[in-house]
Structures are given as C-alpha cells and as structure tokens.
Amino acid sequence: MTDKKKVAEIAPAKGKLGVLLVGLGAVSTTFIAGVEAIKRGLAEPIGSLTQMSTIRLGKRTDNRSPLIKDFVPLASLEDIVFGAWDIFPDSAYDAAMTAGVLEKELLAQLKPQLQKIKPMKAVFDQHYVKRLNGTNVKEGKNNMELAEQLIAEIAEWKRKNKCARLVMVWAASTEIFMKTHAVHKTLKSFEQAMRDNHKAIAPSMVYAYAALKSGIPFANGAPNLTVDVPALLELALQNGVPVCGKDFKTGQTWMKTILAPGLKARMLGLNGWYSTNILGNRDGEVLDDPESFKTKEESKLSVLEYILQPEVYPSLYKDFSHVVRINYYPPRGDNKEGWDNIDIFGWLGYPMQIKIDFLCRDSILAAPLVLDLALFLDLAQRVGMKGIQEWLSFYFKSPMTAPNLYPEHDIFIQLMKLKNTLRHLRGEDLITHLGLEYYD
Ligand SMILES: NC(=O)c1ccc[n+]([C@@H]2O[C@H](COP(=O)([O-])OP(=O)(O)OC[C@H]3O[C@@H](n4cnc5c(N)ncnc54)[C@H](O)[C@@H]3O)[C@@H](O)[C@H]2O)c1
C-alpha cells in the first residue's frame, strides 16, 4: 500500500452550474449546441478530457485508470445552464446558423433549446474591436457603472435560472493589443480608472472585474490582457476566485507545442518556422484588423522561444526565424487551413524540411476546451483554489503564470501537470515515470 497523501476537501457539485459566455459567436454556439447534442445522445464529447480521458493511478501494474469525471467530482452536463452576452441580439440558434459551423439538420433538432438562449446586452466599445459594430450594447456613464450593471444582471440571472454556481468564459472577439498600464497595478487604481473611463480599461476587463467581484471563476479564451493584470489578480485572491487564460490552444499552436518538444527531444536544430492561415469566419474578419491581429500574433509567437530555449541551446535555436500570418478569406468560413513550413537541421548541419497542411475546423477544436475549462474552474472553486490556475495551461496559447515565472508550453508537460494536480487533489501518488520499482 502506498501512503495516501492528504485528500483535499471538495464541496460536491450539487445543483445547477451556470456557464456565462461573453460572446455568442462561432465558438460559444458550437460549444452550447454540442453539449445539448451530447445530452440527447446525438453525439459523443470528442476532444474533451473531462468527459473522455482516463487518469492512471498508482503503478502500471495496478490497472487503475478511472475516467477523470469519475475520479474528481465535476458538474454533470445535465446540470449546465447557458447564459451569454453579445453585441448582436441573435439567439444562440440564429448565431449558430450565421456561424455556419454545424449542419442545419443538427441545429434544427436543437432549435427549441438554442432559441431560448438570448444574449444579454454587451459592454462594448468599438475602439477595442475595430471591425465590429452592434446594437445590443449597455449604456452607462463610466466603466464602473457598467460593471455594476453586469453584477446586478448576473445575480438576477443566477436567481432566475436557479443556479448554485457560475463560471464565466470570454469567448468574444480579440481586442486590440494592450500592455500592462500603471492603472492596472493595484485594485484601487484600477477601480479609479474604471470611474475615469481610462483607455487602459478594455470591455473584457469590465466583465472580468464583474465576475471576480461576484466570486465567479473567469477563463479568458482570447489573447487580450483582460484578467492578466495585477489589479484583477489581487481581486481574485481577495475573493478566493480561480482564473485562467489566455487564448484557447486549438489549431496551429497546438500542433506547434506537439512538434517543437519533439524536435528538442532529439536535439534537432531549427532555422525557421513559417506559419500561415486562411480563415473566413467573423474571428478572421476581426483579426484582419492589424491592432487585433497584433494581440493574436504576440500570443502565437511566444511558444517556440519558451519550448526551444535558445539561450540554453544557442547552436540549435538561436535566431531562428518565426513568422505567423492570418489571412481573412471568406469562402472558407470556420474551416481554417493552416500551413507550416519548418526548416530544421540535423547531423553535421544538414537541412531538412517538414510541411504541415492542417485542414481544421476552428470552433470544433475550441468547443471541448470551453467545456473542460468551465468544469475544471468550477472544480477549482469548490476545492478553494484561487488566483492563477497554472495547471490549466494545457488549454492556452499564452498560459498565465505567477510573476517572474516563464510559462510551460510543452503540451506533454502541461498534460502531466494537469493530471498530477488532479491526483494531488485526491491524495494519490504523483506519477513521475521513474518506474524503477518494476525492476527491484
Ligand atoms: N476557434 C478557435 O479555434 C479559437 C482559438 C483561440 C482563440 N479563439 C478566440 O475566441 C474568441 C471567439 O472566437 P469565435 O470564432 O467564436 O469568434 P466570433 O467572432 O464568431 O464570436 C465572437 C463574438 O463576440 C462578440 N463580441 C465582441 N465583443 C464583445 C463584447 N465586448 N461583449 C460581448 N460580445 C462581444 C461578437 O459580436 C461575436 O459574436 C475570439 O477572440 C478568438 O480569437 C478562438
């Protein structure tokens, strides 16, 4: 018998879990429709760790590999209720039809449920998303007043929908590139900046503030700064709320964080990595604006540097060229095509090339991540975990970390970290893969 560690106390997942989505676009509607389809037995939750993945416990010879959802108490899909905000008033059904990700036949079967989900009025300012303009928008004299409207609206929504707990996920458009500003330093200066309508407070921050003030966990699916500022992290700790972000790791970057650790594992060098995409959905249109693209570009560029560690391996990875492009190309809709040309070198410096042509579906890849994040954040909240949830780095292109800590991008390390966190919560031995005991 191995010594069992202390088991964390986890409040049971009793009652309904409200998942509040900021943005009711392609990702959100594909997520909602998917959960509704799965609940009706029309589909399987493919791509979701919380629903499909097992977790090995103990020794390899123990044969203990329960499903994650049986190992930790997660909310069941039956208990999820959806709420959303958007600048367009379309219901989830109409928005899903516009997004064009899912087949009309499937949406028709889910129409009654999807039609009931009508977006609440958004906090929006076109300064932060240049390519969009909608009418379903809140009015208020400053950002603090808008946050107060959100807080009251959330409380009312929770009551009306008889939810026991809530989580919030940002799945709205990518805002313009912003850096941490002096007003983000403390909660006090942040709140003053909200009252002053300071430009350093983006709409996404108003939602995050309202969530944290209401004690609601917050995940950021886009690369915007949003909750990744000291003031809001201070609020998260103060109110005991877990947060995570940024930018769902779905297509090209997911691929990068699989391949780059492989190159490094074999000590193969890299001269350059050229990535380009064609994308025709609304996200592609928003990212066609240079200021929104800059936010995305920063997020996509950082992964290789961190994984390959050029400062540790200068002869292999110093000064490689890394280019990322996104081209808005309407005919493709949500069906993105991502090309990668990777110039590598091996023994005696001989060059080789790897080409990837990934014909993916953006929202099909993103939807299960939204589900997992909602369920894991709710779990974290019930365990009493607060602030940045680094164990959820697995889901993000730019994982949030403690100050002065570099993010872990290698997807295999991220997965190990996630599963070891779950083992830790349940007092199970962490898996180190040392395995000497099998040969004693
Ligand atoms: N699909 C993916 O693979 C993927 C991966 C990583 C990140 N993301 C990010 O997820 C987000 C959603 O992607 P999508 O494909 O669903 O985009 P989308 O354009 O279909 O949906 C975004 C929705 O957000 C709404 N919106 C914009 N600003 C808002 C605000 N302030 N308040 C409320 N609603 C607002 C828009 O009207 C739109 O309906 C984007 O930021 C995208 O960059 C997507």
Side-chain angles (χ1 to χ4, degrees):
M1 246 327 248
T2 42
D3 277 348
K4 289 280 176 287
K5 315 265 172 340
K6 198 171 154 279
V7 181
E9 263 181 52
I10 310 181
K14 249 182 31 206
K16 296 214 174 297
L17 172 67
V19 178
L20 294 170
L21 299 154
V22 190
L24 190 57
V27 171
S28 292
T29 56
T30 306
F31 158 63
I32 298 172
V35 171
E36 292 296 344
I38 292 157
K39 273 161 55 178
R40 276 159 196 73
L42 299 172
E44 281 202 73
I46 296 173
S48 158
L49 254 71
T50 58
Q51 305 305 302
M52 299 200 83
S53 176
T54 59
I55 179 163
R56 185 190 122 199
L57 304 174
K59 291 185 181 184
R60 265 187 277 164
T61 44
D62 288 354
N63 281 327
R64 283 200 301 148
S65 291
L67 284 168
I68 286 178
K69 66 175 180 178
D70 296 332
F71 178 59
V72 284
L74 299 176
S76 89
L77 299 193
E78 301 300 326
D79 284 333
I80 296 183
V81 187
F82 305 99
W85 292 271
D86 205 289
I87 65 168
F88 300 111
D90 298 357
S91 71
Y93 175 77
D94 293 325
M97 289 292 278
T98 306
V101 177
L102 301 174
E103 286 165 3
K104 292 191 179 68
E105 294 71 30
L106 176 66
L107 293 175
Q109 293 184 66
L110 307 168
K111 193 169 177 180
Q113 288 76 35
L114 297 182
Q115 256 182 340
K116 272 192 236 148
I117 303 167
K118 301 247 167 63
M120 297 176 266
K121 284 190 173 171
V123 175
F124 183 73
D125 179 341
Q126 210 184 9
H127 171 72
Y128 301 88
V129 184
K130 299 276 188 303
R131 295 284 154 101
L132 293 185
N133 194 5
T135 53
N136 197 39
V137 175
K138 284 188 174 29
E139 282 181 26
K141 70 174 189 302
N142 61 43
N143 278 324
M144 184 55 93
E145 203 184 286
L146 290 168
E148 281 158 6
Q149 287 182 33
L150 280 175
I151 291 167
E153 186 172 54
I154 291 168
E156 175 61 11
W157 188 92
K158 184 177 180 190
R159 194 190 57 75
K160 258 184 42 209
N161 287 281
K162 301 187 176 58
C163 288
R165 304 169 319 282
L166 303 176
V167 294
M168 192 186 288
V169 181
W170 175 272
S173 313
T174 300
E175 295 173 331
I176 57 171
F177 182 66
M178 286 169 63
K179 287 201 163 123
T180 312
H181 187 279
V183 299
H184 299 143
K185 289 248 163 70
T186 68
L187 187 53
K188 200 160 165 254
S189 56
F190 187 94
E191 288 178 333
Q192 190 53 47
M194 287 176 79
R195 284 185 211 99
D196 296 343
N197 277 335
H198 194 291
K199 280 282 179 237
I201 308 291
S204 63
M205 293 175 176
V206 180
Y207 287 98
Y209 176 84
L212 300 179
K213 268 285 184 191
S214 312
I216 301 171
F218 185 92
N220 182 9
N224 335 305
L225 207 50
T226 312
V227 76
D228 199 5
V229 292
L232 290 178
L233 295 174
E234 182 187 328
L235 181 57
L237 292 180
Q238 193 178 300
N239 286 358
V241 190
V243 298
C244 61
K246 311 183 288 269
D247 207 6
F248 301 130
K249 178 155 87 176
T250 48
Q252 200 163 49
T253 308
W254 165 59
M255 215 29 113
K256 246 174 212 168
T257 63
I258 293 171
L259 269 183
L263 293 177
K264 192 171 95 174
R266 289 288 301 267
M267 291 285 109
L268 294 171
L270 182 73
N271 280 324
W273 195 312
Y274 176 81
S275 303
T276 189
N277 297 276
I278 53 175
L279 175 63
N281 59 14
R282 191 182 282 151
D283 188 29
E285 191 179 350
V286 167
L287 294 174
D288 207 35
D289 170 58
E291 289 190 82
S292 286
F293 176 66
K294 170 94 175 120
T295 315
K296 196 59 138 188
E297 188 185 28
E298 292 279 320
S299 172
K300 279 177 162 265
L301 281 177
S302 62
V303 301
L304 287 184
E305 292 279 331
Y306 283 116
I307 293 176
L308 297 174
Q309 297 179 292
E311 68 293 353
V312 181
Y313 304 105
S315 57
L316 296 174
Y317 304 122
K318 194 164 175 278
D319 299 329
F320 64 82
S321 152
H322 188 192
V323 178
V324 177
R325 296 277 178 268
I326 298 179
N327 300 293
Y328 177 52
Y329 180 60
R332 282 299 172 89
D334 199 66
N335 295 353
K336 184 164 85 178
E337 184 159 2
W339 288 273
D340 288 89
N341 171 73
I342 311 157
D343 286 293
I344 64 171
F345 56 91
W347 188 242
L348 310 180
Y350 276 74
M352 295 172 267
Q353 294 183 11
I354 302 174
K355 313 270 179 191
I356 303 171
D357 183 4
F358 187 10
L359 288 100
C360 69
R361 291 173 188 264
D362 242 8
S363 304
I364 294 294
L365 291 169
L369 309 196
V370 182
L371 174 61
D372 284 1
L373 285 166
L375 297 185
F376 278 145
L377 271 184
D378 171 51
L379 172 75
Q381 171 99 328
R382 281 180 286 114
V383 181
M385 295 163 93
K386 57 187 176 188
I388 296 170
Q389 302 297 301
E390 205 197 321
W391 62 289
L392 297 174
S393 297
F394 178 75
Y395 294 103
F396 296 108
K397 285 199 215 21
S398 303
M400 286 168 65
T401 55
N404 308 321
L405 195 62
Y406 70 82
E408 188 50 74
H409 281 289
D410 177 329
I411 195 155
F412 305 104
I413 298 177
Q414 291 174 332
L415 181 62
M416 202 167 352
K417 190 191 268 288
L418 186 156
K419 288 192 172 179
N420 269 341
T421 303
L422 299 178
R423 292 182 186 105
H424 172 74
L425 291 179
R426 288 314 230 172
E428 290 285 342
D429 287 339
L430 305 189
I431 290 193
T432 63
H433 299 285
L434 181 63
L436 285 179
E437 67 273 24
Y438 303 115
Y439 299 91
D440 279 348

